[in-house]
Amino acid sequence: MAAEKIILGIDPGTTVMGFGIIKVVNKQMHFVQMNELMLKKYDDPYIKLKLIFERTLELIDTYHPDEIAIEAPFYGKNVQSMLKLGRAQGVAMAAGLSRQVPITEYMPKKIKMSITGNGNASKEQVAKMLQSVLKLKTLPKNLDSTDGLAAAVCHFYNEGKVELGKSYTGWEAFIKQNPDKLR
């Protein structure tokens, strides 16, 4: 691991995209920021995707992350929701890939397990653990930003372990690892 690096964590969504940034210095995590992109007021799904792409680029250009950790969509009962989440995730990934930032995706249970030790932890439990670990004075009202921060912290905790989520270093790597998605 480099002596210093920045990790951007993203919790993609078409209603709210949460994100958090940590800086790692000599294997120690330091909180940089967390926030969310509110998309509720936009009706057009394509405008939402454009805004996710632009905000992700803005974060990359401002903070210059060395790596991006992103929460993977999980299959629920609603296929339409999964499709929307997949699009939001894909747009955020495309922004990172366009700037050559390596991306690793993590399943929600993996993130929760890394933060709390319980893969079924609630958003509130994850937020409280992050507050303790990163010595945050307050927590945000909406917990989408702590979910984004949790992805970054999960990535820090899992660095160097053999079994990571899927990682991509650019478009060529993505294409090589996903030939079936190009049909």
Side-chain angles (χ1 to χ4, degrees):
M1 181 183 331
E4 188 173 308
K5 77 160 62 176
I6 298 194
I7 303 170
L8 166 61
I10 298 175
D11 176 27
T14 55
T15 306
V16 180
M17 178 183 92
F19 57 89
I21 302 167
I22 60 171
K23 184 177 195 173
V24 180
V25 180
N26 296 322
K27 299 184 182 181
Q28 295 291 314
M29 278 189 298
H30 302 279
F31 171 75
V32 175
Q33 86 127 289
M34 67 178 156
N35 210 331
E36 49 212 16
L37 173 62
M38 302 303 286
L39 299 161
K40 291 177 188 166
K41 62 184 172 186
Y42 302 98
D43 292 328
D44 185 332
Y46 302 109
I47 294 294
K48 290 180 179 189
L49 294 175
K50 178 180 178 278
L51 293 170
I52 291 167
F53 185 83
E54 290 173 346
R55 183 63 173 133
T56 304
L57 284 180
E58 182 183 324
L59 289 166
I60 292 167
D61 293 344
T62 301
Y63 294 97
H64 308 287
D66 298 288
E67 298 171 1
I68 295 174
I70 191 162
E71 184 173 308
F74 62 95
Y75 181 74
K77 291 180 181 158
N78 188 333
V79 175
Q80 286 300 315
S81 294
M82 172 110 179
L83 179 62
K84 288 176 186 175
L85 279 174
R87 287 177 175 171
Q89 182 202 33
V91 166
M93 289 172 78
L97 292 169
S98 76
R99 294 290 197 262
Q100 304 297 309
V101 181
I103 298 168
T104 303
E105 59 181 313
Y106 294 94
M107 296 304 293
K109 280 187 177 279
K110 175 76 172 179
I111 294 172
K112 291 174 181 180
M113 179 64 99
S114 294
I115 305 302
T116 68
N118 176 2
N120 295 315
S122 68
K123 282 179 171 273
E124 293 78 14
Q125 289 171 314
V126 171
K128 283 290 189 189
M129 187 60 81
L130 289 171
Q131 184 176 27
S132 173
V133 169
L134 294 170
K135 298 172 181 51
L136 305 174
K137 289 182 174 62
T138 60
L139 288 173
K141 188 169 58 173
N142 295 332
L143 298 180
D144 295 283
S145 54
T146 53
D147 286 350
L149 184 61
V153 173
C154 170
H155 186 66
F156 168 74
Y157 286 155
N158 286 281
E159 192 144 42
K161 292 187 180 172
V162 178
E163 190 182 325
L164 281 177
K166 289 186 179 178
S167 296
Y168 311 109
T169 54
W171 283 115
E172 287 179 26
F174 179 83
I175 291 167
K176 278 184 189 171
Q177 292 179 37
N178 296 283
D180 56 316
K181 293 183 181 180
L182 300 174
R183 293 180 202 163

